[in-house]
Amino acid sequence: MQFWKNAKQGGSRRKSENAIAASATPPHGTAGISPEALVRALVASVADGTTATADGLRGLSADELDEIERDQPAPLGAAYACFLRLVGGGAGHFFQGSDVFYPHVIGLREAADELLRENQEPFHLRSSDRVIFMHQGYQFEFLRGEGPDPEVWTYSEGDAEPSRVYIRFTDWLEANVRQQREAWARLVPWYEAEQQKPSDERRVYFNRHHPDGSVTDEL
């Protein structure tokens, strides 16, 4: 189930959610905190019992992390590498419906390059850019720059060019944690209430489409 559901014509998910712009300031109270420490704190807050549970945070092994690193020419960056170690295998509802986690993160650079070719864009990703997110095949986000906490840029079909949306990966992560915690806090109780109704009284269904083509009623 994809909870943000915006059409291609409506612009990027980032723009539609009024995300923090590139001039964003660090999250309140984080001055002097290392990027890795901030990632650990943000990941811990995802396990709120609704967005995810503590046992639903799936980190990656050293071999899986190496596979992701080898998949693209750009470095991982300390903050992003920490994120992968902690929840690179998934985190409950967090980022549900988008390609962020292993193994779906493998091949994102190739998919992004293909999208740019299909749209005959004049620009190309740099060898130092690392694609970390793809949504429904028409939008992707990537790290740009060196250092432990690089910038996050986004491109969506219809954009004239990619744009910088966060000056730090940790800003990107903090915004997504906040947005999705708020969204799932509304959606999960709503879904559970609908499940309790007799079938002839239900008005809302959440259908999950599985790789084998089957569909189940679940959030």
Side-chain angles (χ1 to χ4, degrees), residues 127-141:
S127 61
S128 56
D129 294 336
R130 174 169 287 270
V131 182
I132 63 170
F133 169 103
M134 180 163 281
H135 179 63
Q136 302 295 308
Y138 70 89
Q139 181 193 359
F140 64 85
E141 294 175 357

Side-chain angles (χ1 to χ4, degrees), residues 1-3 50 93 96 184 187-192 195 206-208 216-219:
M1 201 286 298
Q2 187 59 44
F3 71 81
T50 301
H93 292 304
Q96 186 170 308
W184 290 112
L187 282 171
V188 170
W190 182 26
Y191 172 71
E192 291 175 347
Q195 280 191 312
F206 295 81
N207 294 324
R208 184 188 296 273
T216 55
D217 176 26
E218 61 178 297
L219 189 63

